[in-house]
Structure formats: structure tokens, C-alpha cells
Amino acid sequence: MNHLRVRFVLVETSHPGNIGGAARAMKNMSLDQLVLVNPKQFPCAEATSRASGADDILMNASVVKTVDEALNGCSLVIGTTARPRNLYLPELDPRECAERVMDESLKGEVAVLFGREDSGLSNEELDRCNLLMRIPTSQDYSSLNLGAAVQVLAYELMMQRGTQLKRPVGEVVRQYPLATADEMEGLFGHIEKVIIETGFLDPENPRQVMRRLRRLFNRAEVDHNEINILRGILTSINSNMGRSRNV
């Protein structure tokens, strides 16, 4: 089976057994890119025991300190959430999510973020996402173990693999790859610098301006060429401001 360019990113996992459970779920479904962001305890015998034969997934797991490192080079970032979020981001179920992941992985790297066992992903981490995935559960008991959540999406990805997705008639085929997560961070930093210099953003009272701009551009799924255009416009604004001050 062909290598699938998707990273399962576990953020600050508290219990090493959950890391092992996630590795086992991935191995079952022929996935192999596990990234651990600042895990509380790893490597650990409990993780190896729970992996139950998926030792190679654990041995090859990338351990990083920040989400930024985990997302380096990714063109699509999907955050998981256990409850509805009013974040103005498209929210998919696991099957819809698997379809998007399969489609995008043909063009670039995809990351799926799984948050902490007790509190999930922070707002800042969700700011990095283009889409959200939520697994439907019983209203009477909605708590889902981290390993089980990984298993649900891994299964849906397995079902999608080997199936050629048919594009609806009239669907636009993307000419350029999506901008990577680090390119998007460069854009947001550039925007913030310019709107502070123009006086639009007060750094002492920023309110929610940058968060709303992040969500706007993340929803838009900006491609590599578009981000170059936007950065060029911002650079032009900077240059014109400099000339104006020198007149």
C-alpha cells in the first residue's frame, strides 16, 4: 500500500498508554507518521506495552517541543474537537475528514492534531487549523479515549485508500499546492507588522483582530502562489509608507 502523507500529531499527551494505543491504531490501518508534541512521559514501557506490536511506530515517532515544529511543511491542518466550537471553521465528521485528507495528501503533507486528554486543543492551536473534525458520540456519554479517536479516523482513512475519488463535474482543480503551515505563519507575522505600522492595529489593545484574520485565511485555504501575491502586496505597502515618510 502506498505511503500516505498524513501525520497524526498528539499534543502534550499525559498518559503514555494513550501514545501506545494510538500507535497500535495507526499500525492496524497502515499509517506510520506519528508526531508527539511535548509528551509528559516518552519513551515509556507502558506505551510499548499498549502498542502491542506497533513498536516500529513508536521508534520512528518524531518528538518535538512545539506545534509549530510538528506542522512544518504541512499544507492542510485539521484539528480534532470533542464538542461543537464557534470558531467559524468548517467542521467535518471522520468520513468527510478522511475524504479531504486523502485528496490533499496527493498534493502535500497533511497533519491531524489530537489535543490533551483533559482539555483538548487550545484556542491558539486551533488557530493553526484549516478544518475541524468532530466524532459524533452519544449525548449521554460523549467521552472518547484518545486511542479510540485515533482509531476512528485511521479506519476511515483505510476505507478511503485505494479508492479513486471522483471529482464532481465542474469542480475546480487546484493549480498550485496549498501554502504550508510555516508559510501561513510567515504571512500572519507580515500582516501583523504592517497593520501595526499603518495604525490599524493597536498592539496595546489588539482585541481579536489577528485571531479573526487567521481564521479567515485558514478557511480560504490559500495556495502557494496566492500567499506570494499577498506577501508582495504587504511589502508594497511597507515600501510606499517608507517613501511617504521620506518626502
Side-chain angles (χ1 to χ4, degrees), residues 2 9 17 33 40-41 45 79 81 84 91 101 124 181 186 199 205 227 229 239:
N2 293 334
V9 181
Q33 290 193 62
K40 185 173 182 179
Q41 192 176 359
T81 179
E91 185 177 287
V101 169
E124 290 72 21
N205 185 27
I227 209 166
I229 293 171
S239 298

Side-chain angles (χ1 to χ4, degrees), residues 15 96 123 157 164 171 184 192 211:
H15 305 292
E96 294 167 329
N123 286 333
L157 286 169
Q164 185 175 1
E171 183 179 348
M184 292 300 293
E192 185 172 21
R211 176 157 289 160

Side-chain angles (χ1 to χ4, degrees), residues 67-139:
V67 170
D68 282 346
E69 293 176 82
L71 301 183
N72 186 40
C74 289
S75 57
L76 181 68
V77 181
I78 299 170
T80 58
T81 179
R83 61 187 186 279
R85 301 257 196 165
N86 187 23
L87 296 178
Y88 308 101
L89 288 174
E91 185 177 287
L92 309 179
D93 64 31
R95 189 155 300 171
E96 294 167 329
C97 181
E99 291 177 0
R100 285 300 308 273
V101 169
M102 287 297 300
D103 195 22
E104 190 57 44
S105 69
L106 299 174
K107 312 176 190 77
E109 292 277 344
V110 179
V112 183
L113 293 178
F114 293 86
R116 302 155 189 83
E117 293 96 330
D118 57 348
S119 59
L121 296 168
S122 68
N123 286 333
E124 290 72 21
E125 288 154 358
L126 289 167
D127 285 344
R128 304 297 308 276
C129 300
N130 305 105
L131 304 167
L132 297 180
M133 183 196 77
R134 184 163 67 91
I135 300 173
T137 55
S138 167
Q139 293 183 353

Side-chain angles (χ1 to χ4, degrees), residues 8-10 13 17-19 21-26 29 31 34 50 78-83 92-95 97-98 112-117 120-121 133-137 142-158:
F8 276 39
V9 181
L10 310 187
T13 309
N18 287 333
I19 296 174
R24 180 177 183 177
M26 292 173 64
M29 301 299 157
L31 298 166
L34 177 61
R50 284 283 303 277
I78 299 170
T80 58
T81 179
R83 61 187 186 279
L92 309 179
D93 64 31
R95 189 155 300 171
C97 181
V112 183
L113 293 178
F114 293 86
R116 302 155 189 83
E117 293 96 330
L121 296 168
M133 183 196 77
R134 184 163 67 91
I135 300 173
T137 55
S142 60
S143 176
L144 198 63
N145 176 269
L146 175 60
V150 169
Q151 184 74 77
V152 170
L153 180 57
Y155 167 78
E156 292 293 347
L157 286 169
M158 184 71 167

